């Protein structure tokens, strides 16, 4: 079931919310059990057969985490460590089988020349997310930071439907205390207002923006996969379209998850914070898919040594973390290369900062021009990396990147030659060809894409709009936005009602979120 | 502040409900796809066609719905029924003398269309004696992006359940019922409804003219193109063909990487059931313009599977003793550059050359036991 479907909005959600609060008045544990059951139904709606897998994974991790956390004295360090290793290894083997079996078989066969078959397996929805959520819980249990004696609550923590399929990746310690508050089980007009507003914004991002620009990206990448070498404007249209599609799709999903959870009086952590406003790549990764970045930092980068053993070791750890982060997104070399590119970006960024610090410059400060240059450079680097991320294979990625660099020629619609007059002649002599754009009917796509890029750069994001009402965990507005900040006023009521209605009207067919495939 | 939030919720909720009800009201009233009634544009055209009148100046309409409403008004079965895409629309009754005829081709036809349209005839007990099945290469392309058949999705599903899968069920599924309700609050349907509202003054009209500045849909289902289109010079047609050949992808052939096994099964099952119902079947392969065909099949072309599609169809037809008329390759059909309206639509002169010497098949046909997939693997 999709958040952006009529069945979810008009049937599933009202029934689940209403029943939760009706039961919650009598029994909090029953209400929690209801929410867990509804979440399992939500998952089963996609594929009933994988509910057993999800439940088996939950039971396995619950039992082992219980053993690890309940017996810090009786078990001893060695056995607890052994149990932790066993649990994490089992989780990763399961993930590897479903997600990477064919990737490894294919590459192993390619390297050795040995004939190989492929495993017929469908990737269970959300397996990357529920695996990481549970690994984090196991480690926290081992470190004594979390424990959960109630199976119902643990099951709810993992399956809680707002985050089950595509995150945010949750920490047990930030979630379960909220389910222990009595106030969570009482309906709150305040949280309903906040939740519905955030949900409406997220839904519009998905169906109003992401789905509308997807065809531009699809057309360019499909044509490139078919052998067409995209020209300058075609390549940039495709790359920018995908850059924006992915952002509005995933941040829209995250907004919806945060908004839905708020209906149950539960605040989720922030997952996006205007990443395209970042003036360097370090900042970008603090604002893009923040809960995954946090997971990779806490459970991979820091255990590898983080920045504690000198520059070279830090760079090595960054590369390992980003390569594995890339591989987490999908079983393909394009994802590995994408992760590697970001690893290199981060290494360069850290080295640059180190150099500036040694030269006595204040790295926390920059001029307006410096900030603009940094943002443009960061954005361009991110767009180039998204091309690799989106492409079917490395050849397609190279073809689109060549197009962006102008190496496949620069073609403008023939009608522009006359419109531009002398400038058109000058462009012609400079190598610009006036003719037919093969993939896109015109560069009209850029008329939509460029304003959207600027909007990403200058407009406040969802949580900044909701800044006065604690929209997400760990979100602290630098300063409240007095003029456009959301408040429960008549004008905002009309605006949110209109936005929600428009978003519902724009739902067409089945449009999955891009991150479901990861 | 304690009362502010409930007021906010009431205002937002009222706005939300009002807008949705407004849109639902418009969608229900104008109902452009005839989901909730029978007052549509297409129903009016179908009425004229069923009365034997030719209709001119039909604009922006759903050809599938037109077929549906036409069959609902049809009184007598036709001996010959043509199924296919716009590339088969110029097969006229003169090719089948002495037989009643209707050309039920629809633009961009896929196999789902063939299933659905024939199901309309089946449900009204009007199955023909002979089906001329126009097959285009894109029907085997999983990525053809042809989705127009969904206007007749219910008919297609009933055909699949009732015939191919052998589990008769003409009931709407839950999803289908939901899908119908979803149209009430669909922005796309709203736009279509507003267009329908603007068309309150029906722009189409019955005509006896043989040619006009607008297209004419003939009562036999064929089409007469407007003067400009019909009288293009061979040079102009060649220019159009070159332009279309340079487009990426070529119409419905994008990402044509394999003959899709599912669609092969679908085609074979379709023909098997026609035969089982006592209906004769002949295949028609409409040719492309010579320049377009050259572009499609040159050594480096990503569309060369068009040749494989024809090879498969000929092999399959040979196994099943089916007649095949025409070829995607214009050289085989003797159709020249002046026999086309554009890059892929043959004129009736071309169709006449192809069907010269046609007679209804009488030969004993072998029962369908083998399958292309059985012989050539499934992957």
């Amino acid at each position: 079931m999709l958040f952006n479907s009529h069945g979810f909005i008009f049937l599933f959600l009202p029934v689940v919310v209403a029943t939760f609060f009706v039961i919650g008045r009598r029994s909090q544990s029953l209400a929690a059990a209801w929410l867990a059951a509804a979440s399992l139904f939500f998952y089963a709606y996609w594929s009933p057969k994988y509910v057993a897998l999800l439940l088996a994974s939950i039971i396995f991790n619950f039992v082992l985490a219980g053993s690890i956390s309940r017996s810090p004295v009786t078990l001893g360090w060695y056995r607890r460590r052994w149990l932790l290793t066993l649990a994490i290894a089992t989780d990763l083997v399961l993930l590897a089988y479903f997600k990477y079996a064919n990737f490894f078989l294919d590459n192993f066969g390619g390297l050795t020349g040995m004939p190989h078959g492929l495993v017929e397996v469908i990737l269970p929805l959300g397996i990357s997310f529920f695996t990481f959520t549970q690994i984090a819980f196991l480690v926290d249990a081992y470190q004594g930071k979390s424990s959960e004696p109630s199976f119902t609550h643990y099951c709810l923590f993992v399956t809680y439907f707002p985050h089950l399929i595509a995150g945010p990746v949750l920490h047990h310690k930030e979630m379960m205390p909220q389910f222990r508050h009595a106030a969570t089980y009482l309906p709150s007009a305040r949280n309903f207002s906040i939740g519905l507003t955030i949900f409406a914004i997220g839904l519009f991002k998905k169906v109003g923006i992401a789905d509308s620009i997807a065809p531009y990206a699809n057309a360019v990448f499909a044509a490139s996969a078919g052998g067409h070498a995209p020209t300058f404007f075609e390549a940039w249209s495709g790359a920018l379209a995908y850059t924006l599609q992915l952002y509005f799709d995933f941040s829209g999903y995250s907004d919806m998850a945060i908004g839905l959870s708020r209906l149950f009086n539960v605040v989720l952590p922030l997952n996006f914070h205007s990443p395209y406003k970042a003036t360097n790549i370090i900042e970008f990764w603090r604002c893009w898919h923040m809960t995954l970045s946090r997971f990779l930092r806490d459970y991979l980068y820091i255990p590898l040594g983080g920045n504690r053993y000198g520059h070279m070791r830090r760079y090595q750890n960054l590369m390992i973390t980003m390569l594995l982060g890339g591989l987490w997104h999908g079983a393909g070399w394009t994802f590995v290369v994408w992760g590697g590119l970001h690893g290199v970006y981060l290494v360069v960024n850290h080295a640059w900062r180190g150099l500036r610090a040694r030269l006595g410059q204040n790295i926390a400060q920059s001029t307006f021009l410096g900030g603009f240059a940094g943002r443009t450079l960061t954005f361009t680097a991110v767009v180039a990396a998204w091309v690799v991320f989106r492409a079917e294979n490395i050849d397609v990625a190279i073809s689109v990147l060549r197009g962006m660099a102008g190496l496949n020629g620069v073609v403008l619609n023939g009608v522009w030659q006359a419109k531009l007059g002398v400038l058109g002649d000058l462009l012609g002599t400079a190598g610009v060809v006036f003719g037919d754009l093969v993939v896109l009917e015109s560069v009209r796509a850029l008329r939509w894409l460029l304003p959207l890029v600027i909007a990403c750069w200058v407009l406040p994001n969802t949580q900044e709009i909701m800044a006065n009402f604690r929209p997400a965990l760990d979100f602290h507005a630098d300063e409240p936005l007095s003029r456009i900040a959301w408040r429960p006023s008549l004008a905002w009521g009309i605006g949110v009602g209109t936005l929600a209605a428009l978003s519902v009207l724009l739902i067409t067919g089945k449009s999955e979120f891009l991150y479901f495939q990861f | 502040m304690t009362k502010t939030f409930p007021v906010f919720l009431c205002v937002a909720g009222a706005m939300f409900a009002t807008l949705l009800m407004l849109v639902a009201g418009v969608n229900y009233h104008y109902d452009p796809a005839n989901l909730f009634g029978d007052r549509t544009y297409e129903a009016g055209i179908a009425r004229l066609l069923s009365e034997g009148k030719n209709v001119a100046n039909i604009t922006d309409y759903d050809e599938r719905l037109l077929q549906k409403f036409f069959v609902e008004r049809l009184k007598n079965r036709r001996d010959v029924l043509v199924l296919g895409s716009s590339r088969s629309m110029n097969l006229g009754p003169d090719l089948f003398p002495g037989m009643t005829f209707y050309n039920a081709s629809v633009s961009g036809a896929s196999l789902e269309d063939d299933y659905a349209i024939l199901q309309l005839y089946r449900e009204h007990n009007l199955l023909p004696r002979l089906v001329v099945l126009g097959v285009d290469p894109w029907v085997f392309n999983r990525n053809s992006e042809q989705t127009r058949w969904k206007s007749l999705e219910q008919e297609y599903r009933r055909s699949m359940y009732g015939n191919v899968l052998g589990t008769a069920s003409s009931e709407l599924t839950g999803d289908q019922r939901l899908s119908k309700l979803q149209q009430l609050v669909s922005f796309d349907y709203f736009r279509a409804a507003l267009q329908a509202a603007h068309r309150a003054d029906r722009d189409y009209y019955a005509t006896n003219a043989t040619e006009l500045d607008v297209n004419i849909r003939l009562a036999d289902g064929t089409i007469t193109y407007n003067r400009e289109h019909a009288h293009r010079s061979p040079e102009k047609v060649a220019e159009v063909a070159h332009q279309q050949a340079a487009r990426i992808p070529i119409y419905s052939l994008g990402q044509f990487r394999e003959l899709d096994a599912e669609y092969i099964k679908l085609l074979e099952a379709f023909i098997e059931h026609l035969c089982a119902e006592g209906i004769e079947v002949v295949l028609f392969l409409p040719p492309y313009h010579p320049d377009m065909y050259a572009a499609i099949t040159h050594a480096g072309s990503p569309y060369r599977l068009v040749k494989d599609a024809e090879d498969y169809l000929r092999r399959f037809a040979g196994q099943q003793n089916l007649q095949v008329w025409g070829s995607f390759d214009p050289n085989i059909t003797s159709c020249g550059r002046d026999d086309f309206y554009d890059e892929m639509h043959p004129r009736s002169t071309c169709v006449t050359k192809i069907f010269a010497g046609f007679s209804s098949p009488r030969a004993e046909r072998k029962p369908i036991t083998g399958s292309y997939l059985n012989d050539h693997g499934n992957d």
Side-chain angles (χ1 to χ4, degrees):
Chain A
M1 196 178 294
L2 297 167
F3 293 167
N4 53 327
S5 64
H6 295 104
F8 177 84
I9 293 169
F10 290 115
L11 208 60
F12 179 83
L13 186 62
V15 169
V16 173
V17 171
T19 311
F20 175 76
F21 288 117
V22 168
I23 298 175
R25 286 183 181 276
R26 295 169 184 275
S27 163
Q28 293 176 11
S29 55
L30 262 182
W34 160 255
L35 199 49
S39 298
L40 285 171
F41 174 82
F42 174 82
Y43 190 81
Y45 194 83
W46 167 73
S47 174
K49 68 177 181 178
Y50 281 128
V51 172
L53 175 78
L54 176 62
L55 276 173
S57 170
I58 289 170
I59 293 168
F60 172 79
N61 283 290
F62 177 73
V63 170
L64 263 75
S67 302
I68 291 167
S69 61
R70 272 198 295 272
S71 312
V73 181
T74 53
L75 274 181
W77 176 85
Y78 179 78
R79 285 193 67 186
R80 291 178 66 236
R81 180 116 190 157
W82 186 87
L83 275 176
L84 176 69
T85 308
L86 171 73
I88 293 176
T90 306
D91 284 336
L92 291 178
V93 164
L94 197 70
L95 181 63
Y97 171 73
F98 281 104
K99 195 161 180 175
Y100 303 106
N102 285 329
F103 178 64
F104 286 128
L105 281 173
D106 210 23
N107 284 290
F108 181 74
L111 280 173
T112 60
M114 287 169 62
H116 63 284
L118 294 177
V119 184
E120 278 200 23
V121 61
I122 297 170
L123 183 68
L125 203 59
I127 189 171
S128 305
F129 288 93
F130 69 70
T131 301
F132 272 29
T133 299
Q134 295 191 95
I135 287 176
F137 177 68
L138 288 167
V139 176
D140 287 351
Y142 175 78
Q143 294 174 344
K145 293 177 186 169
S146 287
S147 67
E148 181 52 72
S150 160
F151 177 73
T152 305
H153 277 186
Y154 181 75
C155 191
L156 177 57
F157 158 62
V158 178
T159 62
Y160 186 41
F161 75 86
H163 89 109
L164 174 61
I165 309 297
V169 182
L170 300 178
H171 274 307
H172 179 269
K173 59 180 179 288
E174 67 193 2
M175 284 298 296
M176 295 324 290
Q178 298 188 64
F179 278 109
R180 293 194 191 99
H181 287 158
T184 301
Y185 299 89
L186 298 173
S188 154
R190 176 191 168 94
N191 282 336
F192 256 79
S193 304
I194 298 166
L196 287 174
T197 302
I198 298 175
F199 181 80
I201 294 172
L203 184 60
F204 184 75
K205 279 183 177 179
K206 166 65 179 165
V207 299
I209 304 178
D211 288 352
S212 302
I213 52 183
Y216 296 122
N218 295 342
V220 172
F221 282 92
S224 303
H228 172 65
T231 55
F232 182 77
F233 288 112
E234 289 174 335
W236 272 103
S237 297
L240 282 179
Y242 185 67
T243 299
L244 293 164
Q245 183 200 355
L246 188 60
Y247 170 67
F248 284 108
D249 189 282
F250 195 19
S251 74
Y253 174 88
S254 296
D255 285 350
M256 278 189 260
I258 289 169
L260 287 170
S261 186
R262 196 62 175 255
L263 301 181
F264 298 98
N265 302 312
V266 173
V267 187
L268 292 186
L270 197 56
N271 220 17
F272 284 87
H273 190 34
S274 297
Y276 293 152
K277 287 179 185 166
T279 53
N280 58 65
I281 210 76
I282 297 170
E283 195 184 324
F284 173 81
W285 276 106
R286 286 182 186 144
C287 302
W288 178 274
H289 203 175
M290 296 155 76
T291 56
L292 177 69
S293 302
R294 180 179 67 175
F295 178 92
L296 293 173
R297 182 196 66 204
D298 293 348
Y299 301 105
L300 187 58
Y301 176 68
I302 291 175
L304 282 169
N307 59 2
R308 300 192 299 276
Y309 303 104
H311 292 306
M312 291 315 292
R313 181 71 183 273
R314 176 194 215 177
Y315 299 155
Q316 177 190 310
N317 293 338
L318 276 172
M319 285 303 298
I320 292 171
T321 304
M322 295 313 293
L323 284 169
L324 289 176
L327 194 60
W328 174 86
H329 281 85
W333 285 109
T334 50
F335 295 110
V336 178
V337 173
W338 171 78
L341 266 177
H342 272 282
V344 171
Y345 292 166
L346 283 168
V347 167
V348 170
N349 199 168
H350 279 287
W352 174 249
R353 280 188 167 192
L355 179 67
R356 284 187 67 192
R358 275 201 294 280
L359 293 172
Q361 294 182 3
N362 182 353
I363 57 170
Q365 281 188 337
S366 68
T367 60
F368 173 79
L369 210 58
F372 181 76
R375 181 177 292 181
T376 308
L377 179 64
T378 304
F379 185 73
T380 309
V382 168
V383 172
W386 285 140
V387 168
V388 182
F389 188 85
R390 169 63 175 79
E392 279 188 24
N393 54 52
I394 299 294
D395 290 340
V396 172
I398 290 171
S399 174
V400 177
L401 288 171
R402 281 175 56 87
M404 290 167 71
L407 298 176
N408 297 333
V410 182
V411 178
L412 266 175
N413 251 5
V415 291
W416 281 97
Q417 192 163 21
K419 284 184 184 174
L420 292 172
V422 180
L423 182 61
D425 296 337
L426 280 173
L427 288 172
T429 52
V432 174
V433 176
F434 290 91
D436 286 335
L437 288 165
V438 177
V439 180
L440 305 167
E441 287 187 2
S442 69
V443 291
R444 219 170 0 188
L446 289 172
R447 285 192 212 161
W448 281 102
L449 300 176
L450 292 178
L452 280 173
V453 171
I454 293 167
C456 288
W457 281 11
V458 300
L459 292 183
N461 59 40
T462 308
Q463 47 281 351
E464 285 169 340
I465 292 169
M466 305 298 293
N468 292 328
F469 295 89
R470 196 195 175 215
L473 293 174
D474 304 324
F475 173 72
H476 306 288
D478 298 334
E479 52 188 71
L481 301 153
S482 57
R483 289 183 65 186
I484 58 162
W486 180 87
R487 62 181 68 85
S489 63
L490 182 71
W492 271 103
I494 292 171
V496 169
T498 306
L499 185 73
L502 182 62
S503 303
V504 166
L505 292 173
L506 287 171
I507 294 172
T508 51
K510 191 178 173 187
S511 168
E512 288 193 347
F513 292 89
L514 292 176
Y515 256 68
F516 279 18
Q517 61 191 291
F518 308 133
Chain B
M1 194 67 109
T2 49
K3 282 190 179 171
T4 316
F5 286 105
V7 170
F8 169 84
L9 285 173
C10 288
V11 170
M15 196 69 202
F16 179 73
T18 305
L19 286 173
L20 288 192
M21 282 195 290
L22 188 72
V23 170
V26 171
N27 288 359
Y28 184 83
H29 181 73
Y30 290 106
D31 191 18
N34 224 49
L35 293 174
F36 313 107
D38 189 8
R39 311 179 292 269
T40 63
Y41 189 78
E42 288 80 3
I45 301 164
R47 182 174 53 75
L48 292 176
L49 290 174
S50 65
E51 290 168 0
K53 295 171 182 164
N54 301 335
V55 184
N57 198 35
I58 309 172
T59 52
D60 195 18
Y61 69 113
D62 187 325
E63 294 175 51
R64 277 79 179 162
L65 289 179
L66 179 59
Q67 298 301 330
K68 179 180 171 180
F69 300 138
F70 177 79
V71 177
E72 285 172 359
R73 286 164 177 75
L74 194 61
K75 301 237 170 17
N76 302 311
R77 79 177 63 229
R78 303 295 163 103
D79 294 329
V80 182
L81 187 70
V82 179
L83 297 174
S85 71
S86 59
R87 285 163 28 84
S88 301
M89 270 183 199
N90 274 293
L91 261 80
D94 48 327
L95 301 171
F96 309 93
M99 301 169 90
T100 54
F101 171 94
Y102 187 71
N103 190 324
S105 299
V106 290
S107 300
S110 53
L111 287 172
E112 290 91 342
D113 282 307
D114 298 334
Y115 269 89
I117 292 169
L118 201 78
Q119 180 68 10
L120 291 169
Y121 286 84
R122 184 179 288 117
E123 289 176 355
H124 289 83
N125 200 24
L126 292 168
L127 283 174
R129 189 162 66 79
L130 168 68
V131 165
V132 180
L133 184 60
V135 187
D136 296 287
W138 64 71
V139 301
F140 301 113
N141 180 12
R142 187 183 306 134
N143 304 308
S144 70
E145 298 188 349
Q146 292 292 359
T147 56
R148 285 177 273 186
W149 63 271
K150 291 199 171 186
S151 297
L152 297 178
E153 186 170 5
Q154 291 169 22
E155 285 75 12
Y156 168 67
R157 297 207 180 283
R158 287 205 294 276
S159 175
M160 290 296 287
Y161 286 123
N163 302 291
V164 177
L165 302 178
T167 52
S169 167
S170 59
E171 292 295 309
L172 297 184
T173 64
D175 276 354
Q176 286 164 355
R177 280 198 201 91
L178 190 63
S179 168
K180 202 169 162 179
L181 283 176
Q182 282 168 346
Q183 297 305 322
L184 276 178
V185 286
S186 158
F187 188 73
D188 287 341
Y189 204 67
F190 182 61
R191 273 202 306 217
L194 290 181
Q195 283 172 0
H198 280 296
R199 280 195 317 201
D201 298 327
R202 307 288 171 162
D203 47 5
Y204 58 82
Y205 52 89
T207 181
N208 290 322
T210 52
E211 193 174 61
L212 291 168
D213 289 334
V214 293
N215 291 350
I216 304 172
R217 187 97 195 186
L218 304 187
D220 59 25
T222 58
I223 192 165
T224 299
Y225 288 115
N226 62 70
R227 285 195 183 98
E228 188 279 323
H229 197 75
H231 294 289
R232 280 175 173 171
S233 66
E235 293 74 26
K236 175 67 182 169
V237 170
E239 187 187 327
V240 170
H242 286 145
Q243 280 172 357
Q244 293 301 320
R247 288 190 69 84
I248 293 180
I250 282 177
Y251 183 79
S252 278
L253 298 178
Q255 300 185 62
F256 194 6
R257 301 197 183 97
E258 59 176 349
L259 300 188
D260 188 274
E262 288 303 314
Y263 283 114
I264 286 177
K265 280 185 196 166
L266 215 54
L267 177 77
E268 293 184 356
F270 183 65
I271 292 173
E272 182 180 356
H273 278 272
L274 287 177
C275 297
E277 289 173 294
I279 300 168
E280 299 288 351
V281 182
V282 299
L283 301 184
F284 170 53
L285 312 187
Y288 281 93
H289 185 280
D291 297 345
M292 185 69 164
Y293 189 76
I296 286 173
T297 55
H298 74 79
S301 165
Y303 311 111
R304 285 176 58 81
L305 275 174
V306 168
K307 285 172 84 93
D308 293 0
E310 176 156 349
D311 290 346
Y312 153 68
L313 286 165
R314 289 191 180 282
R315 258 198 313 274
F316 174 67
Q319 286 168 4
Q320 309 310 330
N321 211 15
L322 301 173
Q323 290 186 18
V324 180
W325 296 84
S327 165
F328 302 142
D329 182 351
N331 301 313
I332 293 177
T333 62
S334 307
C335 292
R337 285 184 169 75
D338 49 356
D339 283 323
F340 289 86
Y341 290 110
D342 51 30
E343 79 282 3
M344 62 176 186
H345 293 101
R347 292 176 186 271
S348 48
T349 51
C350 174
V351 176
T352 305
K353 284 180 194 172
I354 290 170
F355 278 89
F358 173 81
S359 62
S360 180
R362 302 284 178 198
E364 278 295 307
R365 185 185 296 107
K366 290 184 280 183
I368 295 181
T369 51
S371 156
Y372 172 80
L373 294 173
N374 293 340
D375 298 341
H376 296 83
N378 203 357
D379 51 9

